[in-house]
Amino acid sequence: MAGLLTLFFTLNAAAAPLTLTFAWPQNVGPLNPHLYTPNQMFAQSMVYEPLVKYDAKGGVTPWLAQRWTISADGKTYLFTLRHNVRFSNNEPFTAQAVVANFQAILANRSRHAWLELANRIDSVEAVDEDHVKLHLKSAYYPTLQELALPRPFRFIAPSQFVAGGTRNGIKQPIGTGPWILKESQLGESDLFVRNPHYWGTEPTYQQIRVKVIPDPVSRAMALESGDVDLLYGIDGVVLPDTFERLKQQGQYHIRLSSPMQTEMIAINSQHPPLNDLAVRQAINRAVDKQTLVATLLHHTEQPAATLFARNVPYANFPLSPYHYDPSAAAQQLEQAGWHLEKGQQWRTRQGQPLTLSLAYIGTDAVSKSLAEVIQGNLRHLGINLQLIAEEESSIYARQRNGQFDLIFNQSWGPPYDPHAFLSSMRAPSHADYQAQKGLPDKKIIDQEISQVLSSQNDSERQTLYKDILTRLHQDAIYLPLTYVPIMLIANRSLADFEFPPLSSDIPFEQMKPRSDVSP
């Protein structure tokens, strides 16, 4: 009997699929590769693949395209596709499928206008089964980097189009990637299984279960109880104090990546008194980032000195930071006519108090804490900072219409930084445009952004990026707070793996149990 029971449990263990359970705040969505929210980027990247992949050095490597050539004028790209790639329903991946997907994307071009490549594409043609030619209206140096993005330039089987395209939805999320979305339970979980037709290396795990756990405290509890194996992401994975507690326990595999994005405050130069450079510079000198990072964030992020960290392409040059110096900030305000009269709490100029507002998402506990620390720092300087906590949709509306003094903002990370993030500064619907609109050199900044995006000369691009970033820094239009890494917290049973170069990607196909790793 004992032998039969042992055999029974052994057979059942062998039959059970090797599953990794991961926690995420919401369901992955319908996974239309060419649309945005509620589709989750990490899941889109599990199912759909690009022609080229972004690498850690800021360049690209072959993927669905084995190689490519670029015309001398930078306007034509000829891609040679990888042979014998099939979609997960066994449909062939061909040049015609690539063209159909590009046409579906361009049929909804206005939705993708934030991405400059979508505006630059003139046409796409299938030369033959294995070759695709991409024609641009004008040269655009980040073309390959934007083709590597998680969306929209990825490929779904054309048989899954609705009414000949994807703008109105898809039938099923059928891609060429290593994973297939097998089932979704709204508010509960999503299940991915291996793609049996995948052209690349087969993942070790047979299934990835994504449990929907909106609250960061509950996600940590699920890890500790063993309900999930992995917590991973760029923003709000767990609260900073929870991260520190789990780290001190020593029971989990915990890592932070190099800086991926910049958390910052955008300062609206259109609104008095923020149209005064002295006020913007004083704010930059008034916030104690070192203490903020140590006490509030528990060193899960790094203090930021500039708009981009030095590991961002074209940002590796020195800029003199605005060091924390309340005395210098106070002196600067005094010289600008903002006096703190004896017995008064707030500075005034010509009878007007120095009163500002900072808007943030009210349900974001970390943003609330950051806002309160900044409020306290500015109070010591005699600046009355009023906090406005609103719903996420209201904050995004303020970013679009410029109805803010100060507002939380974040760079986009690789491969968007610096080119795509700077490109968006020319779009009125972005907080960056609204914040910069009152700058005397806004026109020059926008002209140089347009120029750098079309430049075919790397030395010229370096010069232009340096001038753009120097102007923004000297204009003190941003208060850089922290450089944000990817956070990883996992069971000890999960083997180590490399962080991907895109913060939105989660490399499930590289993950394996620790027992599978040679000692």
Side-chain angles (χ1 to χ4, degrees), residues 43 83 105 108 131 152 155 242 256 265 276 285 325 365 438 473 503 519:
H83 288 292
I105 295 164
N108 197 20
H131 293 88
F155 306 99
T242 303
L256 296 172
I265 302 290
D276 185 342
R285 293 189 170 99
D325 192 340
H473 184 73
S503 59

Side-chain angles (χ1 to χ4, degrees), residues 287-435:
V287 177
D288 186 358
K289 302 171 193 176
Q290 297 285 349
T291 300
L292 181 152
V293 165
T295 59
L296 180 61
L297 299 177
H298 296 276
H299 297 287
T300 55
E301 300 174 18
Q302 301 175 22
T306 52
L307 178 59
F308 297 124
R310 294 283 291 271
N311 64 339
V312 172
Y314 297 105
N316 189 21
F317 62 90
L319 284 169
S320 179
Y322 295 97
H323 293 295
Y324 174 58
D325 192 340
S327 296
Q331 184 178 5
Q332 192 166 18
L333 290 175
E334 287 289 336
Q335 292 173 350
W338 292 100
H339 302 303
L340 186 59
E341 304 295 344
K342 187 175 181 179
Q344 298 299 311
Q345 186 176 9
W346 311 120
R347 292 182 181 274
T348 59
R349 185 169 71 180
Q350 298 176 351
Q352 295 297 316
L354 187 45
T355 299
L356 306 170
S357 64
L358 170 59
Y360 68 95
I361 298 172
T363 55
D364 187 330
V366 175
S367 291
K368 180 178 185 294
S369 297
L370 288 170
E372 290 171 347
V373 170
I374 295 169
Q375 182 185 48
N377 285 161
L378 296 189
R379 182 187 299 118
H380 290 306
L381 195 59
I383 298 176
N384 180 16
L385 183 65
Q386 300 174 349
L387 304 185
I388 301 175
E390 293 182 333
E391 294 181 353
E392 188 174 20
S393 59
S394 298
I395 295 299
Y396 290 155
R398 286 182 179 274
Q399 291 180 337
R400 290 192 300 270
N401 60 33
Q403 296 303 307
F404 63 87
D405 288 339
L406 289 83
I407 199 164
F408 280 94
N409 196 23
Q410 197 171 59
S411 74
W412 300 349
Y416 301 95
D417 296 343
H419 77 273
F421 187 70
L422 264 61
S423 177
S424 73
M425 292 176 180
R426 302 169 299 165
S429 60
H430 286 257
D432 306 274
Y433 175 91
Q434 298 294 340

Side-chain angles (χ1 to χ4, degrees), residues 30-47:
L31 294 192
N32 187 327
H34 305 153
L35 290 182
Y36 304 91
T37 303
N39 303 287
Q40 299 298 293
M41 283 195 287
F42 81 89
Q44 286 170 305
S45 294
M46 293 172 70
V47 173

Side-chain angles (χ1 to χ4, degrees), residues 420-476:
F421 187 70
L422 264 61
S423 177
S424 73
M425 292 176 180
R426 302 169 299 165
S429 60
H430 286 257
D432 306 274
Y433 175 91
Q434 298 294 340
Q436 297 171 22
K437 194 174 179 181
L439 296 179
D441 57 351
K442 172 61 173 170
K443 185 176 181 180
I444 296 174
I445 291 170
D446 287 356
Q447 288 174 342
E448 291 190 342
I449 290 172
S450 297
Q451 189 177 349
V452 75
L453 294 176
S454 297
S455 174
Q456 296 296 100
N457 183 283
D458 187 67
S459 178
E460 180 186 32
R461 290 200 294 266
Q462 290 182 16
T463 299
L464 286 167
Y465 274 123
K466 184 175 183 179
D467 191 65
I468 294 165
L469 295 178
T470 300
R471 286 178 180 275
L472 292 172
H473 184 73
Q474 293 176 345
D475 286 335

